[in-house]
Amino acid sequence: MTNFGEFYATIENYKRMKLIKHPDNPILKPHATNYWENLVVCNPGVWYENGKFTMLYRAAGDDEQHFIRMGTAISTDGVHFERVSDEPAFGPSIDGPDQGGVEDPRIVKFGDEFYVTYAYRPHYPGQYWKFAHDVILLPESNAYSPAVIKENIANSGLAVTKDFINWRRLGRITETNLDDRDVILFPEKIHGKFAMLHRPKQWVGEAYGCDKPAVWIRFSDDLMVWNEPSKLLLAGKDGTWEEKIGGSTPPLKTDDGWLLLYHGVENGGEGFYRVGVALLDIDDPTKVIARASEWIMEPEYEYETNGFYQGCVFPTGNVIVDDTLYVYYGAADKYVGLATCKVSDILAFVKGI
């Protein structure tokens, strides 16, 4: 006899498709004996090529300043990662604009070089989870100091490497007076131009068409010059799981369009972080073909709810291997998790098939 309760539960689960979290999660934890990563590892960028997964992850030690650096780990199965070194792969500069910390890398590749976008601050933020929401430490300043110093504003930069060992910092690619993070490059040119997603925090209000920070898209002939106007791509929805949103992972090219994962935050941007999915036109990614109304991943387990942000899943890396989508995410600002699904399933879900 058919159990219709179970049947309809199955249908509902399909409608609310969830990424499948790996049973070995968290797949990367803080390293107790490495001073620079003994407290936090999270928000990794990941690249897959020639049977090898390379992970560039955010890391921090237990220092009061909370300097944030990046480490590298590699894997042949996408699950079990080994650290490449006991030293950071990339860290704050000694006297540059990113001397306060570097975080949240997203990786693309042009030619034989990897281009990594990352967020940074001019001054260390401190252990922010001990402060009120959105409060960080500020450097000494005076009446003549620019806003980026007075407010310790987060900007985004671009770095390039061939091996994740030797780096060139190319510099800032956002405006200094904007808290502009979640800067993500498309992995190929579109009609001869580079494309970027970004989330300028101050671009809210009637003039911008969104009440809370949102996802914008812009184009350029040069990776270091982004002067063309941005266009609002995705905005949040009041009273839902995605009131405040931002880009998560580099868009992935599929036969149906650019597959884009993004994060949404409830409660005016102070609640749980969940993950949504949208599909962009392959030839004109300013056009949103489809956007699922339901989230595909939310905080559930202790490693996602008990950390330095209580209730956060924050993807920053994704790759496709055969018909499997691997999604790498920060969990509770403390660990690295992995979730997967079939590419065909997530495309069917976002298209409503």
Side-chain angles (χ1 to χ4, degrees):
M1 181 176 179
T2 301
N3 185 328
F4 285 100
E6 291 181 359
F7 173 77
Y8 286 117
T10 301
I11 294 296
E12 185 63 21
N13 285 340
Y14 176 74
K15 290 179 180 178
R16 289 175 170 265
M17 175 193 161
K18 291 184 179 181
L19 298 179
I20 301 168
K21 296 172 183 176
H22 200 278
D24 287 349
N25 276 349
I27 62 169
L28 196 70
K29 300 178 181 179
H31 193 300
T33 60
N34 286 347
Y35 74 94
W36 55 276
E37 58 169 342
N38 62 17
L39 189 69
V40 171
V41 293
C42 64
N43 302 5
V46 177
W47 185 262
Y48 175 78
E49 189 172 355
N50 296 328
K52 183 174 77 172
F53 297 79
T54 300
M55 175 187 291
L56 183 67
Y57 59 91
R58 167 177 165 172
D62 57 2
D63 53 288
E64 292 185 3
Q65 296 90 346
H66 197 62
F67 280 109
I68 301 173
R69 301 171 174 87
M70 298 183 199
T72 306
I74 58 174
S75 171
T76 56
D77 63 6
V79 179
H80 304 95
F81 283 83
E82 293 186 5
R83 287 169 166 86
V84 172
S85 173
D86 287 333
E87 296 298 323
F90 188 77
S93 59
I94 296 175
D95 57 2
D98 60 357
Q99 61 184 289
V102 296
E103 61 188 66
D104 300 353
R106 274 81 165 199
I107 305 169
V108 297
K109 189 177 185 181
F110 296 115
D112 63 350
E113 294 181 309
F114 298 99
Y115 286 79
V116 179
T117 54
Y118 65 98
Y120 67 83
R121 295 184 189 275
H123 186 73
Y124 50 79
Q127 296 182 343
Y128 58 87
W129 57 92
K130 297 180 179 179
F131 312 147
H133 180 72
D134 265 358
V135 173
I136 56 173
L137 296 181
L138 302 177
E140 291 185 6
S141 63
N142 55 50
Y144 304 101
S145 299
V148 67
I149 299 297
K150 287 181 179 179
E151 302 171 31
N152 200 12
I153 294 174
N155 294 154
S156 290
L158 184 63
V160 62
T161 181
K162 290 185 177 182
D163 54 14
F164 296 98
I165 298 172
N166 302 290
W167 296 84
R168 283 182 292 148
R169 297 173 203 261
L170 300 185
R172 177 178 55 81
I173 53 175
T174 56
E175 298 178 35
T176 57
N177 61 343
L178 280 179
D179 182 331
D180 201 351
R181 286 176 277 175
D182 300 326
V183 170
I184 304 166
L185 297 174
F186 280 69
E188 63 181 60
K189 285 185 172 182
I190 299 171
H191 300 299
K193 289 182 176 290
F194 297 104
M196 169 205 285
L197 303 175
H198 64 127
R199 190 233 57 193
K201 187 176 181 180
Q202 293 93 329
W203 286 10
V204 294
E206 186 176 350
Y208 296 100
C210 53
D211 295 328
K212 295 179 178 63
V215 181
W216 296 72
I217 186 170
R218 68 193 339 175
F219 299 88
S220 176
D221 295 317
D222 189 303
L223 282 168
M224 292 303 297
V225 182
W226 297 90
N227 292 331
E228 294 187 19
S230 294
K231 179 179 179 180
L232 180 62
L233 183 68
L234 297 171
K237 302 174 183 178
D238 287 342
T240 71
W241 63 272
E242 52 174 341
E243 292 189 355
K244 170 188 171 184
I245 66 172
S248 283
T249 53
L252 295 172
K253 191 175 186 179
T254 74
D255 291 339
D256 294 312
W258 292 103
L259 181 66
L260 175 65
L261 303 186
Y262 65 93
H263 59 269
V265 194
E266 63 185 2
N267 191 27
E270 298 185 27
F272 271 23
Y273 274 73
R274 296 180 174 87
V275 182
V277 58
L279 196 63
L280 311 179
D281 186 88
I282 201 72
D283 293 315
D284 182 3
T286 66
K287 296 179 180 178
V288 180
I289 298 173
R291 177 181 177 182
S293 61
E294 300 290 341
W295 46 265
I296 58 173
M297 184 165 67
E298 72 167 351
E300 300 173 276
Y301 301 103
E302 184 176 3
Y303 64 87
E304 299 165 332
T305 60
N306 185 15
F308 301 113
Y309 189 102
Q310 310 295 335
C312 178
V313 289
F314 193 87
T316 40
N318 56 190
V319 299
I320 293 175
V321 182
D322 299 323
D323 187 40
T324 300
L325 173 66
Y326 291 72
V327 178
Y328 296 90
Y329 65 97
D333 275 11
K334 187 175 182 180
Y335 303 108
V336 172
L338 166 65
T340 62
C341 69
K342 289 187 176 297
V343 176
S344 53
D345 286 347
I346 195 170
L347 288 173
F349 170 73
V350 71
K351 292 189 296 182
I353 298 175

